[in-house]
Amino acid sequence: MVSTIHWTEGSVRRSARWHSENGTPLPRRTVVVDDRTRADDAYHHACAGTALLWRGDFHNARHLLQAMGRRIDRTPPTPGTSPAETYRLHRRDSGHRARVLGRLLVLLDDDYGLALRRAPDVRRACLEAYGPPKGPMAVSLRELLGVTGAHQWRLKGVEVPVLGARVHPHYGVFAPVRGEYVDLVAEAPLPPAVRCAPAGATAFDLGTGTGVLAAVLARRGIGRVVATDISPRALACAEENVRRLALTGRVRVWGPGLFPEGRADLVVCNPPWIPARPTGPVEQGVFDPDGAMLHGFLAGLAARLRPGGEGWLVLSDLAELLGLRTRAHLLDAVRAAHLRVVDRIDTRPRHRRSRDTTDPLHAARRAETTSLWRLTTAA
């Protein structure tokens, strides 16, 4: 069902299709604002649930968004009495921030043009993110900035040192900016059967995203790699990167789904690390409700391994440090799936947020360890 947003401009009643990638409901009320609108007024309207359709200068709209953000930041984060409570309050505050800032809207024309003074050309970025246009569309400025930022990521790519090449993420697909999990897959010892004859081996990369781990496995000499994902955006992204890296003869992209048909000598899975609900497509690379993908991988692994094969689970312990999952829960799930741990290889985070002392979750991020669990079928 198409949702339509309505507003009055001058004395004319107008409407447009409403779109929100994170599922924000249709605004109950929309008013037109422009360069004359004061930040305090905009902030109070947004907090009350009123959407603000911007009709002024594009750069002034960005300044207004920043000013609204500063007003939110005047209220310091509420400390929790436990890591889990701190995380819950952090997600609550993040959700409030997203809702308030998401109420500053812009209108995209029939061809995704943005008819504002000093506005950039966002048509290509919107076409990549949203697909073919279907008439005028209202979106939050915050979302549009995310779309245009993703377009720049897609153009320039992300350098992956172990590949000696760039991987180009699409909008809504998790970018490989955290190199530690890529390095783990690049450096872990291959199963003996694969090590002896890699060209004849088969590997599955489950939840491939950009296809980066599938490319790493292929570059390690594995003759056949099947990369899967449930997201159409990720499948298209992985296909493009496989072509860019000249690996179409070695890597096949399959989906939507988790496990492809057949068995493999090596099955790699880097599931989302936090067992919680994502609020939008970008968060799907980090948040996994109830750990569904993690448990799906473990439950299906034994039946998909060839004799002597291994499953590699690449997983951060951040959820454990935040009190959202226990190590015992993970190990119980491994045993229940008739698997055993062959080895575990650990690495510490190198990303910027692990050093950000202003982050409410800094203590957990600083202590975080990312592990590659080598699993095989239980005897």
Side-chain angles (χ1 to χ4, degrees):
M1 180 178 177
V2 177
S3 296
T4 304
I5 186 171
H6 300 275
W7 72 95
T8 299
E9 198 160 0
S11 58
V12 179
R13 185 73 168 164
R14 300 189 60 184
S15 63
R17 189 162 57 93
W18 167 247
H19 183 86
S20 171
E21 286 287 320
N22 61 13
T24 299
L26 185 72
R28 295 190 302 271
R29 177 172 178 260
T30 302
V31 298
V32 175
V33 294
D34 56 26
D35 304 298
R36 298 166 295 180
T37 303
R38 297 173 62 248
D40 282 340
D41 294 337
Y43 173 67
H44 290 306
H45 275 305
C47 286
T50 298
L52 313 167
L53 181 62
W54 183 259
R55 290 307 221 178
D57 178 88
F58 177 79
H59 293 284
N60 286 346
R62 294 190 61 168
H63 294 322
L64 178 61
L65 191 68
Q66 293 166 358
M68 292 168 65
R70 288 194 294 272
R71 281 154 178 78
I72 296 173
D73 294 339
R74 288 173 181 170
T75 303
T78 304
T81 56
S82 67
E85 178 69 4
T86 298
Y87 169 77
R88 187 189 68 79
L89 293 171
H90 171 67
R91 288 292 284 173
R92 183 200 66 183
D93 293 345
S94 298
H96 171 71
R97 183 184 188 87
R99 285 190 298 273
V100 172
L101 298 184
R103 288 178 179 134
L104 182 59
L105 313 182
V106 294
L107 182 66
L108 299 172
D109 295 338
D110 288 346
D111 63 348
Y112 291 134
L114 188 58
L116 299 175
R117 293 191 308 277
R118 295 198 294 168
D121 187 347
V122 301
R123 291 174 295 180
R124 177 69 181 274
C126 290
L127 184 64
E128 291 173 349
Y130 300 137
K134 300 175 183 177
M137 186 171 83
V139 299
S140 79
L141 175 60
R142 197 168 187 249
E143 178 176 305
L144 181 63
L145 294 175
V147 166
T148 56
H151 174 64
Q152 293 303 313
W153 277 103
R154 182 169 177 170
L155 286 177
K156 71 178 183 179
V158 177
E159 184 69 29
V160 181
V162 298
L163 291 176
R166 289 181 174 270
V167 167
H168 297 257
H170 291 194
Y171 176 75
V173 180
F174 188 72
V177 291
R178 289 189 54 164
E180 56 263 32
Y181 78 93
V182 179
D183 291 344
L184 283 170
V185 173
E187 297 167 5
L190 294 170
V194 177
R195 205 178 311 144
C196 294
T202 295
F204 296 161
D205 173 27
L206 310 185
T208 193
T210 60
V212 62
L213 295 185
V216 169
L217 295 171
R219 289 284 178 86
R220 293 194 67 178
I222 296 177
R224 178 175 178 263
V225 182
V226 183
T228 78
D229 211 290
I230 63 170
S231 163
R233 281 173 168 158
L235 294 171
C237 180
E239 286 272 16
E240 180 182 296
N241 283 309
V242 166
R243 287 195 300 271
R244 284 178 180 269
L245 296 168
L247 293 172
T248 51
R250 306 271 296 283
V251 179
R252 179 170 71 92
V253 179
W254 178 91
L258 183 60
F259 281 98
E261 293 298 320
R263 293 173 178 257
D265 303 284
L266 176 61
V267 181
V268 176
C269 184
N270 176 35
W273 297 341
I274 304 296
R277 185 178 64 86
T279 60
V282 176
E283 286 195 346
Q284 289 174 359
V286 179
F287 296 92
D288 179 25
D290 300 319
M293 184 176 175
L294 169 63
H295 290 287
F297 163 69
L298 293 174
L301 179 58
R304 298 306 177 110
L305 285 179
R306 289 176 177 168
E310 290 184 10
W312 289 359
L313 171 63
V314 183
L315 193 66
S316 160
D317 67 352
L318 187 62
E320 298 173 17
L321 295 169
L322 293 174
L324 306 176
R325 179 173 57 227
T326 65
R327 178 59 56 90
H329 174 86
L330 175 62
L331 295 177
D332 286 346
V334 169
R335 285 189 289 268
H338 307 290
L339 302 167
R340 64 183 177 88
V341 179
V342 176
D343 190 15
R344 192 187 79 213
I345 306 168
D346 297 335
T347 188
R348 298 303 301 274
R350 303 188 298 267
H351 58 89
R352 176 180 52 82
R353 295 188 73 179
S354 67
R355 302 185 297 275
D356 182 4
T357 57
T358 65
D359 186 341
L361 307 181
H362 172 67
R365 295 194 196 280
R366 182 182 56 194
E368 179 186 6
T369 297
T370 300
S371 302
L372 186 150
W373 298 76
R374 294 175 57 203
L375 308 173
T376 190
T377 52

